[in-house]
Amino acid sequence: MIHLLPDSDCERVVSDLLAYMTVEEKAGQLAIVQAPDPQDRAETEAFARAIRDGRVTAVEGIGSKLQAEAFQQIAIEESRLGIPLLFPAETATGVDTIFPAPLAAAASFDMDAIAAAESVIADEANARGINWALGPEAGYLRPTTGSAYPASVEQVQLAARIAAARVAGLQAAGDTSRESVLACLDLSRVLRPGSTAGRQEIADALRIAAHVAQQGYLGSISFGGADTSHRGALQRAFSFLHGPGSFEGMVLSEWQALAAAARNSEHVEIGDYMPIDAIVSAVEKREIPLSRLDDAAARVLRAKYALGLFSLPLGREAVRRRGSLPTPIQNRQAALDLAKKCCVLLRNEPTMLPLGVDSGDILVIGNAANDRSLPVAGRGGPGASVIDGLEQLGIPYKFAPGLALRRENGAVGRLVEADSMAIGMACEAAKRSRTVVVVLGECENGRLAEAEHQLLSSLRTVTERIVLVTLGTLPLDPVVSGGPLPAVLHAGQLGTMSGHAIAEILTGEAAPCGKLPVAIPASEHNRGLPFGHGLNYADFALTDLTLDLATDHIVASAQLRNMGEISGVETVQLFVRRYRGRHLPSRMDLRDFERVTLAPGERQTVRFELAREEVGEFREDGRLVAEGGTLDIRIGLSAGRTLGGEIELPEAVARAMGGFVKGLPGSAADSRRRA
């Protein structure tokens, strides 16, 4: 678990250590060093000597928990002050169990499931000796941006909520029953070095960082190699990180800045050799204030205290609790739970899903249906294929490859000579089948490859009962033979349990509840669908919008009703736009959302409270400011299916929004908790 900060005992430990530490030992608290080759005795001994001298704070590239414990033993028993070590690593989408990729996970809109996934990742990281995760990486679209989906279309509030959930899952703050690792909020993708739109990117990064920081202690934060032209603006905007009592975690950009100042250079990447001797010299010459080094070292010591390293540096508590830790079966169950919530049903008209007795003989087409590497996106170990999932459920099916096998993995590309025979065989098999399920893999730039388009066009000449399942990174709603396909399910890269999740959705063992985390642009290749779109096997309707102005916030509410015959989960979304004079921007910004489960015929009033975080904007100095003006507020089941109205926000109410606290008795958040 992570010990909650601030803590008086922590401050006593930190201040006592700083009083005894030499300048060299303080600089050593900023040194991340690569683990030595265990076979190289000289290198290993030199590394151990650096630990004894206090010139190492964190060790990268640990091969096992035993190796980590050996180095930790040296640090706590043989160094002068016994300060324990950190062992950082990139955990990304999983260590042993692979969870859905960022864009796929964003489609779940389920922060509890995302946090549960990160809890498993923390447990598996601990088992390998890792106690500092170099993540989460903020943003869900930016790491895999294609030209058809620019990062600017990402909804930042969703990215902020996901980042906070990931941090909470990794750090397990206050949960004594769980192992945890320090998290590092990585904003480098949001800031994108070399971009010209720095102001908006900094505002996006601020919104994400502020939301995560509001949820509790954050172990560390990184901005990556921010563009030189943005560095001054970035320092002004994030100056709050260095204010007393505002942020207690490690600021890795400050490590870079100290190293650069000591080297007299423009920039130093994290992971480069930390110039400890140069920093000591710069402090002694007063080129770097000692107080600045003290602050950076103190943050590292607080992080180690929060992780519990000063009380249990070797993880003895984990050994005692080993019998109660999640087993691999439970880890896979967490992966399956999240994966099912990530599937987005884009189309289902006429109703073809879920597959049932009226689906008749099922033909599965596509080599991607047998692919066990595609769902894990190149991470270690195989994932379950769609065929694996159908077979586990005992669903009878026939299979046809549809297209010839390619020599290289990845996108299918153009037609090859062998495709003609494969397409012909698939069409003949489709004539004898009641339902055809076509499974496609990665598509470049969110569009079908020539060979895939020809396959689907040919199939439509013999049947209209086609269900398309896409496993690529980006969602697509393809135009085939002049129109949309009747049923399209976007799964994306769902990780270890991918095939089982997809099979359960296809057969109705589970119901789809995912929502598009990014709009599909309309083009000659795609029909286009709005942000937040996603169908359910239930039938939801939204009515009775109301907007009310209180003394320090706005309340927006609407009534959600399940008009279908089965239970379902719907995500109700809140969007806000601000008039700029007489101009109303076309883009609606997501500011909140609520997942609601309703039985057939059940209804529920969904209420949102809008305060400074929802209506305010970040200034260049890092302040979030709410101003009066005309707002367009909408509640919807997607950005294209909303109820909305305008409301005038008086300046007095806007100023009072800073003092509004959600969750107090009578608030919408309180009502949801009691419900």
Side-chain angles (χ1 to χ4, degrees):
M1 64 165 282
I2 294 288
H3 296 284
L4 298 176
L5 297 180
D7 180 288
S8 58
D9 289 339
C10 172
E11 291 308 307
R12 177 181 54 78
V13 169
V14 170
S15 61
D16 287 349
L17 281 172
L18 284 176
Y20 283 104
M21 293 171 76
T22 65
V23 175
E24 180 183 15
E25 288 168 333
K26 292 174 182 178
Q29 287 303 302
L30 312 181
I32 302 176
V33 182
Q34 184 70 26
D37 180 355
Q39 305 303 318
D40 189 327
R41 181 173 296 181
E43 183 184 359
T44 300
E45 179 51 40
F47 186 80
R49 188 162 53 251
I51 295 176
R52 294 187 191 100
D53 292 342
R55 296 174 67 91
V56 177
T57 192
V59 184
E60 283 187 314
I62 285 297
S64 68
K65 192 172 184 68
L66 286 176
Q67 187 185 31
E69 289 177 345
F71 289 139
Q72 196 71 283
Q73 195 88 31
I74 295 172
I76 63 176
E77 294 184 0
E78 300 180 33
S79 68
R80 189 175 77 91
L81 296 176
I83 299 174
L85 300 170
L86 294 169
F87 299 98
E90 293 186 4
T91 55
T93 55
V95 179
D96 298 315
T97 306
I98 306 303
F99 289 87
L103 187 60
S108 73
F109 279 70
D110 190 323
M111 301 305 108
D112 291 337
I114 290 174
E118 294 294 338
S119 297
V120 171
I121 291 173
D123 287 330
E124 294 182 348
N126 263 290
R128 293 195 179 190
I130 299 164
N131 58 17
W132 183 13
L134 298 181
E137 188 174 59
Y140 50 85
L141 179 62
R142 288 173 169 90
T144 52
T145 295
S147 61
Y149 294 82
S152 59
V153 305
E154 182 179 79
Q155 288 284 3
V156 177
Q157 188 62 26
L158 177 58
R161 292 274 291 270
I162 291 170
R166 291 192 184 283
V167 168
L170 287 169
Q171 295 196 157
D175 185 351
T176 57
S177 66
R178 280 216 18 249
E179 287 290 351
S180 60
V181 298
L182 283 177
C184 178
L185 179 63
D186 183 358
L187 295 166
S188 58
R189 295 281 185 173
V190 180
L191 295 166
R192 288 190 301 165
S195 171
T196 57
R199 183 173 180 179
Q200 184 57 53
E201 290 167 354
I202 290 175
D204 290 348
L206 273 168
R207 187 171 291 277
I208 293 171
H211 184 82
V212 174
Q214 287 170 4
Q215 311 307 308
Y217 177 74
L218 169 62
S220 54
I221 190 168
S222 171
F223 303 109
D227 189 85
T228 305
S229 62
H230 298 163
R231 199 164 299 141
L234 194 63
Q235 290 174 347
R236 289 192 300 274
F238 282 88
S239 59
F240 75 91
L241 293 177
H242 301 283
S246 58
F247 179 75
E248 303 291 342
M250 297 179 284
V251 184
L252 299 191
S253 61
E254 176 65 2
W255 297 18
Q256 295 170 294
L258 282 166
R263 287 180 176 178
N264 249 354
S265 62
E266 179 97 6
H267 180 67
V268 174
E269 291 287 348
I270 285 294
D272 285 359
Y273 172 70
M274 180 61 66
I276 294 176
D277 294 331
I279 290 177
V280 172
S281 176
V283 170
E284 290 174 347
K285 295 176 181 177
R286 298 186 179 181
E287 295 170 350
I288 295 177
L290 178 60
S291 59
R292 185 178 176 187
L293 179 61
D294 281 352
D295 178 70
R299 291 173 182 273
V300 179
L301 296 174
R302 288 191 193 100
K304 293 178 178 181
Y305 180 94
L307 194 55
L309 294 182
F310 285 108
S311 55
L312 292 168
L314 297 179
R316 298 188 183 93
E317 185 176 355
V319 173
R320 289 199 299 270
R321 290 204 313 267
R322 189 165 290 163
S324 64
L325 289 175
T327 66
I329 293 176
Q330 290 170 309
N331 292 357
R332 291 196 296 272
Q333 185 58 47
L336 177 62
D337 178 59
L338 178 56
K340 287 188 291 188
K341 295 172 179 177
C342 297
C343 294
V344 186
L345 183 59
L346 302 181
R347 294 192 182 274
N348 195 25
E349 187 178 352
T351 302
M352 295 183 61
L353 295 177
L355 301 174
V357 292
D358 60 340
S359 300
D361 293 335
I362 297 172
L363 173 66
V364 178
I365 296 177
N367 292 310
N370 273 318
D371 195 328
R372 291 173 174 164
S373 61
L374 180 62
V376 297
R379 296 298 303 276
S385 70
V386 174
I387 294 298
D388 292 332
L390 292 174
E391 289 183 346
Q392 181 173 352
L393 293 178
I395 305 300
Y397 68 92
K398 295 179 180 178
F399 174 77
L403 296 172
L405 283 171
R406 265 57 177 176
R407 290 184 180 180
E408 298 179 358
N409 295 328
V412 172
R414 301 182 66 83
L415 277 165
V416 297
E417 187 174 348
D419 286 335
S420 297
M421 180 177 290
I423 291 174
M425 293 174 64
C427 289
E428 285 300 315
K431 292 177 184 178
R432 299 188 296 271
S433 304
R434 171 68 173 161
T435 302
V436 176
V437 178
V438 181
V439 183
L440 299 182
E442 194 65 71
C443 298
E444 292 184 0
N445 295 330
R447 55 178 288 187
L448 294 175
E450 179 188 51
E452 294 165 333
H453 190 275
Q454 184 60 52
L455 170 63
L456 289 170
S457 297
S458 299
L459 287 171
R460 287 200 93 165
T461 64
V462 298
T463 181
E464 279 294 322
R465 293 188 58 81
I466 299 174
V467 177
L468 175 63
V469 178
T470 57
L471 305 182
T473 306
L474 299 173
L476 67 157
D477 180 27
V479 175
V480 179
S481 300
L485 294 169
V488 181
L489 179 71
H490 176 64
Q493 297 165 328
L494 297 182
T496 300
M497 301 302 288
S498 173
H500 301 301
I502 294 168
E504 289 194 25
I505 297 294
L506 290 175
T507 59
E509 290 288 321
C513 58
K515 296 286 186 177
L516 282 176
V518 60
I520 300 177
S523 68
E524 61 178 316
H525 308 289
N526 276 302
R527 297 284 293 186
L529 290 169
F531 170 89
H533 171 80
L535 304 178
N536 199 294
Y537 293 154
D539 183 15
F540 290 97
L542 197 64
T543 60
D544 303 329
L545 171 76
T546 62
L547 299 176
D548 296 310
L549 187 65
T551 57
D552 56 0
H553 66 286
I554 299 171
V555 176
S557 65
Q559 188 172 93
L560 181 69
R561 181 180 178 185
N562 183 356
M563 303 176 67
E565 298 180 352
I566 63 173
S567 296
V569 178
E570 183 57 276
T571 301
V572 183
Q573 302 153 48
L574 173 74
F575 299 93
V576 177
R577 287 184 292 184
R578 175 183 290 275
Y579 273 91
R580 307 294 182 186
R582 295 183 178 180
H583 173 66
L584 183 64
S586 58
R587 174 184 165 91
M588 297 191 299
D589 290 324
L590 180 76
R591 284 293 176 252
D592 204 351
F593 55 88
E594 184 76 18
R595 297 179 82 250
V596 181
T597 302
L598 294 180
E602 189 178 3
R603 65 179 66 194
Q604 180 177 321
T605 298
V606 182
R607 300 175 69 245
F608 296 101
E609 295 166 334
L610 291 79
R612 187 166 57 181
E613 184 175 359
E614 287 73 32
V615 306
E617 295 179 341
F618 280 94
R619 299 286 176 81
E620 292 182 0
D621 60 1
R623 291 182 302 128
L624 178 61
V625 177
E627 294 181 333
T630 305
L631 303 177
D632 178 67
I633 298 175
R634 295 184 173 272
I635 297 178
L637 305 185
S638 74
R641 187 182 171 191
T642 64
L643 302 173
E646 295 178 0
I647 188 169
E648 190 68 27
L649 177 63
E651 285 289 349
V653 176
R655 288 193 299 270
M657 282 182 164
F660 176 71
V661 180
K662 292 187 179 183
L664 292 178
S667 69
D670 177 64
S671 300
R672 288 196 290 268
R673 282 201 308 272
R674 287 186 281 107

